[in-house]
Amino acid sequence: MSTVLQDAPAWSPQRHVAPQALLFALCLALPPLAIAAAASGAVSIPLSRVAGLLAGVPAGDDQAALWRNVLLEVRLPRIAFALVVGAGLALAGAAMQALFRNPLADPGLIGVSLGGALGAIAAIVLGATALGVIAPAAMVGSLAATALAYRLGSRQAGVAPLLLAGVAINAICAAAIGYFSFRANDTQLRNLTFWNLGSLAGARWDLLAWLSPWVAVLGTLLLRDWRAMNALLLGEREALSLGFALSRLRRRLIVWCALLVGPLVAVTGTIGFVGLVVPHLVRLPTGADHRWLLPNTLLGGAIVLLLADWLARIVALPAELPIGIVTGLAGGPFLLWLLARRGST
Amino acid sequence: MTCAERSRSRRLPRLLGAALLLAAAAPALAQRVVTLGGAITEIVYALGAGDQLVGTDASSQYPAATAALPKVGYYRDFSIEGVASLRPELVLASDQAGPPNALAQLRQLVPRVVVLPAAPTLEALLQRIDGVAAALGRPVEGTELAARIQDEVKRVARAPAGRRVLFVSSRGGRLEAAGSETAADHMLRLAGASNVMAGERGYKPISGESAAALRPDVIVTTTMSVAARGGLDAFVAQPGIAVTPAGRAKRIVVMDDLLLLGFGPRLPEALRQLQAGITAAP
């Protein structure tokens, strides 16, 4: 109980904005931002023509044909990817922070991210080149690492053992990644960085076709658990006395987060900081009521990753920055600010 | 229909086809070209088509004219849209170009994408030259260049037998030695030297102690590796390097990274420098 009170300033700060108003604002902001992102990039497309180009282009208009191809083949799948991946990562981050009752938790804590990277990297070094092999390997790695962390960490009561098991599993995964990088040849080494830094450049409609419903289903399952997450906010004993079966709730949240994040890691690599930072961005102005925090985080994550990818695409034209650099550059200082603010209150 | 008539009626469409082919080939000489990969860019320049380039990747740093071209990122992680924004009619890409699936996406945006083998071997270099020359519509220049390179490579003298050579590069402060199946190993073999790391595969981090245990007579490295250490003296003074026969006698051959490891059209020149360096390292 005392820790909850101690954490209170940073954990559930004073509300400045009604969460419903934020939800409304985010819903309103998303479409124009997505359209603006669709219009800008290395090939500049007039904003006014985006909708017209999607409908079709007159025969013989080479310029418009290129614009349409860029939109359909490169930019739109990428924007959709950013929205889906950002939403999934941020939501999983919020759920992890609720579960561990720790503002510094993120999906990577229980091994999902590094386990996935390890799976992908092992597959590459053992000779796989096709995404059809590497992505499933990443997913198996994610789930196996999480399952192991959970099994070892849930033998004792409380989340501390789980947290420590996660730290240990992450350390082992990092060491194994190091070993595979050591064994990798030159080409493989370059492919590894794709999974280590994360990238949305592999966006494709066929990947989106199964990724979007997957994220939608698991997102809904997590959103429905807002009451349990609110109860956890009070403390474990309090949640228990409110009638929540803690160990089952814990297992459920972990399984859903792992299933949600595993495939995201499999197709984009490890994109850092979205899962950690976005829930805080939402919680600071609107408070920690998960009924609103979760949908706001989901939309916020989609928008943050959309903006990060937009920046990554346009600051170094005609080249592109790795998105991990953009999210890290925005997320690192934010985390420092969060810590400084926590120290001063 | 007589026999002669039939053959004439067959010939006519063929002639027409040839004329169409010529017409199609003519604008090929004025193409806007983007290259992805340093060796490919060098080949384009060597074939005299450098003025057709409208963009290239970050690994293309030779000749000096490449500095003026827009860069679409490193070829293993290039920006698809960045390439498309340069409106190329032809993209010449290494088969190592990425990210995954990027070349397939690029094919939707660019009329022609030609993928060339990236392997660090003489055979692959000849294939690269052949492929680039064909794509640029300069087969004669391509054949000439390939023949000249083959001829010059044949005439490079071999390094004295039994000279033990170690290739090291310095990545992020630690030493990495080249085992078999690396560009450096292929260069050493072409120059007739024996690679003391041939038992290992790929580039491997190496401790000072193992460098000493390999007892190389000559150490080959790159300008960037020496610069990363802060000069040749500092490079030689590293623990391990300092106690090798090569380190004690200061027999260190330093060559430009792209020249030594790029497997571009400057291969004969690189081999001559390497061979001379190994034979008479100061």
Side-chain angles (χ1 to χ4, degrees), chain A residues 42 69 73 75 187 190 204, chain B residues 76 81 96 101 105 108:
Chain A
N69 276 340
E73 301 296 333
R75 231 177 258 168
T187 310
R190 259 78 175 235
R204 273 161 34 186
Chain B
R76 293 183 194 265
E81 257 196 59
Q96 296 297 312
N101 201 41
Q105 274 184 308
Q108 313 274 338

Side-chain angles (χ1 to χ4, degrees), chain A residues 83-211:
Chain A
L83 296 176
V84 169
V85 172
L89 287 177
L91 187 62
M96 282 291 123
Q97 288 173 9
L99 174 65
F100 284 100
R101 301 180 42 247
N102 187 323
L104 298 182
D106 81 342
L109 202 62
I110 46 167
V112 187
S113 303
L114 275 186
L118 174 59
I121 285 168
I124 291 172
V125 175
L126 296 177
T129 49
L131 192 66
V133 180
I134 298 169
M139 194 156 159
V140 169
S142 279
L143 298 183
T146 310
L148 201 60
Y150 179 76
R151 279 193 74 90
L152 297 176
S154 61
R155 299 231 170 120
Q156 298 158 52
V159 286
L162 190 55
L163 197 81
L164 283 174
V167 169
I169 294 289
N170 274 334
I172 294 168
C173 287
I177 288 172
Y179 172 73
F180 279 113
S181 317
F182 167 75
R183 276 199 44 189
N185 68 30
D186 222 25
T187 310
Q188 290 167 343
L189 212 54
R190 259 78 175 235
N191 291 338
L192 302 191
T193 56
F194 180 84
W195 260 270
N196 261 340
L197 276 182
S199 169
L200 293 170
R204 273 161 34 186
W205 289 121
D206 56 337
L207 290 176
L208 272 163
W210 63 263
L211 202 60

